[in-house]
Amino acid sequence: MARKRRGASCCADGGAMEEGCKVEAIVPVDERGQMVLPKELRDKARIAPGDKLALTTWVKHGKVCCVVMIKADDLVDMVKDRLGPVMKEINK
């Protein structure tokens, strides 16, 4: 497997899709709307105390059908990767 460049999101270059999606865990939501990410998943995803996660949704036919959590830092990197070249062109 190719090494990703430092600071790059695993989703930025399609790397995550090469291996596919899978269900990692099924977690209950309590009466206050809280849930716990299992330790094994936090370790695997390198999610540490204090990390911020961006929740994104996919809406289909007016209903949310998918909720995805992305580390906020990775989301910022993905946006910079996509918009950086565009902004350079605009600022010429």
Side-chain angles (χ1 to χ4, degrees), residues 14-87:
M17 297 311 282
E18 291 173 9
E19 295 181 355
C21 294
K22 67 179 183 175
V23 174
E24 291 285 347
I26 295 181
V27 296
V29 178
D30 71 15
E31 61 279 347
R32 294 183 354 184
Q34 297 178 331
M35 60 186 125
V36 175
L37 295 175
K39 182 179 183 337
E40 298 81 22
L41 178 59
R42 292 192 315 268
D43 291 346
K44 196 187 291 188
R46 296 184 178 141
I47 297 171
D51 284 350
K52 294 186 187 302
L53 302 175
L55 294 176
T56 59
T57 59
W58 181 323
V59 177
K60 187 173 182 179
H61 305 296
K63 295 170 92 176
V64 173
C65 64
C66 184
V67 177
V68 177
M69 289 186 277
I70 303 170
K71 283 187 180 179
D73 291 341
D74 287 346
L75 182 60
V76 169
D77 290 341
M78 285 190 297
V79 170
K80 285 180 182 176
D81 286 347
R82 300 287 184 213
L83 291 182
V86 173
M87 295 308 291

